[in-house]
Amino acid sequence: MLIIEGELDEPRSIDPTELRRLPAQIDDVSKVVPGRDGSAVWLRDVLAQSGLRPSGRFATLASGDGKFAISVPLQPLLERAMLVYRKGDAPLPLSKGGPVRLLLTGKVECEAPDIDACAMVKGLARIRVTVEREPDVGHVHH
């Protein structure tokens, strides 16, 4: 289950299979992010359906095991993030970051000024839209 909460009119929980019913499907992410596979939806569409409030400036992306969370600026996510949730007709396997994985389009680097590559969270279970940046969990650059 993917929990979407925070600065939204309608916080919600979405089962990964429900993502398939959303509009604007990306049937082959390799056409947008070369070298990656699976099918996805744009994060911006999911947040728009939940009534994203103008006060939302950051998003905390957290893994399902509770060992990792990163807070990043929301605007680059709205421009570049997709939620990969299946491979073919099957759910996205854990070995590929399932059941939901966030991927970013374009060049992605660690500690980049606009958005950190670590935002490509595997096993994504929670997206919390916030006014202020929240503390990261388990995110350390070496």
Side-chain angles (χ1 to χ4, degrees):
M1 195 65 68
L2 176 62
I3 297 168
I4 303 170
E5 61 187 0
E7 296 297 307
L8 306 165
D9 293 333
E10 298 178 31
R12 61 199 258 196
S13 296
I14 301 175
D15 185 282
T17 58
E18 292 176 64
L19 293 173
R20 190 169 194 154
R21 293 192 290 271
L22 297 176
Q25 294 287 312
I26 304 163
D27 290 323
D28 181 0
V29 299
S30 71
K31 293 179 179 177
V32 183
V33 183
R36 302 294 184 146
D37 58 0
S39 299
V41 294
W42 292 105
L43 175 62
R44 64 180 162 255
D45 293 338
V46 174
L47 293 179
Q49 283 191 343
S50 298
L52 178 61
R53 295 179 184 156
S55 56
R57 294 183 44 238
F58 294 90
T60 300
L61 310 167
S63 63
D65 62 11
K67 295 180 180 178
F68 183 86
I70 185 170
S71 184
V72 296
L74 183 59
Q75 192 57 46
L77 281 180
L78 296 176
E79 296 167 5
R80 302 174 53 190
M82 63 183 82
L83 301 174
V84 182
Y85 67 91
R86 68 181 164 98
K87 186 171 179 182
D89 288 329
L92 186 67
L94 297 178
S95 63
K96 296 287 183 180
V100 177
R101 180 177 187 169
L102 190 137
L103 281 182
L104 297 169
T105 62
K107 187 175 181 181
V108 183
E109 298 175 353
C110 284
E111 301 184 77
D114 61 342
I115 191 163
D116 193 302
C118 294
M120 295 196 293
V121 177
K122 297 177 183 178
L124 182 66
R126 183 178 304 269
I127 300 170
R128 185 172 37 254
V129 179
T130 60
V131 175
E132 301 290 332
R133 186 183 296 265
E134 294 186 313
D136 295 341
V137 174
H139 175 235
V140 180
H141 288 285
H142 301 285

